[in-house]
């Protein structure tokens, strides 16, 4: 069986990060998601927005017989 040895670089990296502060989930600030916008099942306000081609869309124009699902996506490119 082959013996495993830590390289000097790994030993240095481990010693640098071993004393790094760890995130403490208990110390994090709790976020009240009920204040972040529309909630699941809540009716959204009507809107009139243009897409990338300049076409105008309203909530009524995209809703089907069962309604619509709005998904907000934050791009890293913005």
């Amino acid at each position: 069986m082959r013996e495993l040895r830590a390289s000097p670089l790994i030993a240095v990296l481990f010693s640098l990060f071993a004393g790094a502060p760890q995130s403490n989930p208990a110390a994090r600030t709790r976020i009240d998601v009920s204040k972040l916008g529309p909630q699941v099942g809540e009716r959204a306000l009507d809107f009139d927005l243009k897409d990338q081609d300049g076409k105008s869309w309203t909530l009524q124009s995209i809703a089907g017989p069962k309604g619509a699902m709005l998904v907000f996506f934050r791009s890293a490119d913005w």
Side-chain angles (χ1 to χ4, degrees):
M1 186 171 201
R2 188 175 165 190
E3 183 180 329
L4 297 176
R5 292 187 192 179
S7 72
L9 177 60
I10 292 173
V12 169
L13 289 175
F14 180 76
S15 66
L16 288 174
F17 291 106
Q22 303 295 318
S23 64
N24 182 358
R28 294 184 187 163
T29 303
R30 307 271 301 156
I31 298 173
D32 184 2
V33 295
S34 68
K35 296 180 180 178
L36 291 179
Q39 299 301 297
V40 174
E42 189 177 326
R43 288 189 67 90
L45 298 174
D46 198 14
F47 55 83
D48 186 1
L49 299 171
K50 294 184 184 204
D51 65 12
Q52 67 274 13
D53 298 319
K55 183 176 178 182
S56 194
W57 294 90
T58 64
L59 179 58
Q60 189 176 21
S61 70
I62 65 169
K66 294 184 178 182
M69 182 171 82
L70 300 177
V71 178
F72 298 93
F73 177 76
R74 180 178 173 190
S75 171
D77 295 335
W78 289 3

